[in-house]
Amino acid sequence: MIRKLSIAVLAALFYAYPAGQDAALHPGSGAIPAAEFARMTVDWSEDGGYFRSDNFISNETSFLHIVPLMKELGVTGGAYIGVGPEQNFTYIAKIRPAIAFIIDIRRQAVIQHLALKALFHMSESRDLFLAALLSRPLEGDGAPKPETGLEETLAFLAKTAPDPASFRSTLQRVRKRIEHDFRIPLNDDDRDALEHVMAAFRDAGLGISYRSFRSGSSWGWGRSFPTLADLLLETDLEGSRGHFLASAEDYAFVRRLQLENRIVPVVGDFAGSRAFAAVAEHLRREGYTVSAFYTSNVEQYLFRNGVFPDFVENVRKLPLSDSSLFIRAYANSRILHPARVPGHRITTLLGNIRTFLENYDKGLCGDYWSLVTTDYISAP
């Protein structure tokens, strides 16, 4: 059974949070103490696993296509769960959750999120954040002023060489933030991973992209994948930019959650026994319900590895409402998705989580193709 739900049907099925609900309205809002943040990140994490690429940034140019749909459906507040790199911050900026958890099987991904958290703490504006991330100080002739237009900032950074002294200083400050302020102990491998991530952004600048294994022991930037500059300027299907760094207001919201230690990265397998269960238990205990769960295309690998049933049982543990949504990314390769938008390698889809669980129990989601084509919600 392949169905695409209409907005009219969704309106009857979904409970919408009150428009404009903000994290501050949740009774549990407020800063999480650094010791508690460290406990969640360290104690809940599982052993790191393998993935075949360096996901420094997203490779999904369609990530904004479902943002107007989420707004129309009233998806806001509550708790957000996601996987992967900076794309999560854009969804967090649009959904305005009270708390967010990034669960990734790669320990390097969690080290990267801790580095980004440090940069948020250090950078009052998105311009300073981007400059620090790329080791390109906003100094010298033609340097943009604070919070000038995005194009002006990108043009300056594109023609500016990385500064070795800035890199060393920023790396040292980031490491100190993680170990002393966030109270996250780093071993030698973690420190190497931290420098590896920071050096990748320094070396590639705005041209950094999803990096995949090519041959032998060499890695390379995928030519078919979008660069950071591409993603910053990406628009939804209505022509509106939506990356969290394209809006001072969005950046400020994400930064506030970071300052309050309310974006928590955890090393975990979606089909694992510890990380997911700990997050679910915390959300239930604190009275949160999941507003959105960004899975990217991880479910494809869960099917491939024969552990998808374990993932389903982890999803059942989550506190859900009738409006809780999956955000999925389908890679169009051999088989094109019915909702594919020409010019975009990835198709971004929404799916109601409770409907998914019902369909799974009915045997309607026995493989990945069935999963992404049964009761999906996509942009017109």
Side-chain angles (χ1 to χ4, degrees):
M1 178 176 63
I2 299 177
R3 293 184 292 164
K4 175 180 177 180
L5 300 185
S6 68
I7 294 298
V9 173
L10 290 168
L13 290 176
F14 283 22
Y15 165 78
Y17 287 93
Q21 180 178 3
D22 187 80
L25 299 183
H26 190 282
S29 291
I32 294 176
E36 176 64 5
F37 172 85
R39 185 189 70 83
M40 291 189 287
T41 295
V42 175
D43 291 354
W44 296 358
S45 286
E46 300 168 350
D47 293 336
Y50 169 78
F51 193 65
R52 60 183 177 83
S53 64
D54 269 342
N55 288 52
F56 295 123
I57 65 169
S58 172
N59 63 358
E60 303 166 15
T61 57
S62 61
F63 69 107
L64 295 173
H65 292 180
I66 46 81
V67 168
L69 275 176
M70 291 195 297
K71 183 177 180 181
E72 187 173 351
L73 294 169
V75 180
T76 188
Y80 171 90
I81 300 174
V83 66
E86 93 301 334
Q87 181 166 327
N88 290 283
F89 300 145
T90 293
Y91 290 142
I92 289 169
K94 304 308 179 186
I95 295 170
R96 296 291 202 263
I99 194 167
F101 291 92
I102 312 300
I103 306 176
D104 201 297
I105 196 170
R106 298 167 306 121
R107 184 166 181 82
Q108 179 180 295
V110 170
I111 297 299
Q112 177 171 327
H113 271 286
L114 291 172
L116 294 174
K117 173 178 172 60
L119 293 178
F120 274 107
H121 281 245
M122 293 158 49
S123 308
E124 293 186 1
S125 70
R126 55 197 170 127
D127 309 80
L128 294 175
F129 174 90
L130 193 55
L133 176 63
L134 303 180
S135 299
R136 289 159 171 81
L138 298 177
E139 301 172 352
D141 294 339
K145 297 179 181 179
E147 293 302 354
T148 54
L150 180 62
E151 293 92 340
E152 183 179 348
T153 299
L154 295 185
F156 179 83
L157 293 174
K159 66 181 181 182
T160 302
D163 179 62
S166 176
F167 172 77
R168 290 192 298 271
S169 173
T170 300
L171 178 61
Q172 183 178 17
R173 293 173 63 197
V174 165
R175 178 176 163 181
K176 183 177 180 180
R177 287 269 183 176
I178 294 172
E179 295 186 306
H180 295 276
D181 295 357
F182 308 157
R183 306 185 186 182
I184 305 293
L186 300 177
N187 58 35
D188 289 342
D189 289 341
D190 294 334
R191 296 187 188 102
D192 288 343
L194 175 62
E195 184 167 357
H196 172 66
V197 169
M198 297 292 291
F201 281 93
R202 173 201 64 194
D203 295 343
L206 291 170
I208 195 170
S209 67
Y210 175 93
R211 192 163 75 169
S212 60
F213 186 74
R214 286 186 173 179
S215 62
S217 60
S218 64
W219 291 73
W221 304 114
R223 295 180 180 178
S224 63
F225 299 123
T227 65
L228 177 57
D230 295 330
L231 295 176
L232 287 168
L233 299 174
E234 191 61 62
T235 65
D236 61 24
L237 293 177
E238 298 172 358
S240 299
R241 287 180 185 160
H243 193 282
F244 82 97
L245 286 176
S247 163
E249 182 181 2
D250 283 352
Y251 176 80
F253 177 83
V254 178
R255 183 172 187 258
R256 178 165 71 84
L257 284 195
Q258 294 280 18
L259 292 174
E260 294 178 351
N261 298 324
R262 289 190 162 274
I263 301 179
V264 185
V266 180
V267 183
D269 186 337
F270 277 15
S273 60
R274 185 167 72 201
F276 219 98
V279 169
E281 181 183 357
H282 176 83
L283 295 179
R284 287 191 177 278
R285 184 175 64 249
E286 297 297 321
Y288 293 105
T289 57
V290 173
S291 55
F293 180 4
Y294 167 58
T295 63
S296 187
N297 66 331
V298 170
E299 290 154 306
Q300 175 182 356
Y301 299 99
L302 299 176
F303 273 112
R304 184 178 300 174
N305 296 335
V307 295
F308 191 77
D310 296 324
F311 167 68
V312 175
E313 294 311 307
N314 277 337
V315 173
R316 292 190 199 278
K317 298 172 184 176
L318 296 172
L320 304 172
S321 73
D322 288 342
S323 64
S324 300
L325 291 177
F326 280 124
I327 305 173
R328 294 185 169 112
Y330 175 80
N332 293 284
S333 54
R334 296 180 181 178
I335 305 177
L336 302 182
H337 195 279
R340 173 180 175 267
V341 177
H344 294 272
R345 172 177 179 275
I346 301 293
T347 298
T348 304
L349 306 164
L350 298 178
N352 182 273
I353 299 180
R354 282 184 169 169
T355 300
F356 154 74
L357 292 173
E358 294 171 1
N359 287 338
Y360 180 83
D361 290 339
K362 295 175 183 177
L364 300 177
C365 301
D367 56 44
Y368 184 60
W369 178 249
S370 298
L371 174 72
V372 297
T373 55
T374 300
D375 289 328
Y376 68 87
I377 312 160
S378 67

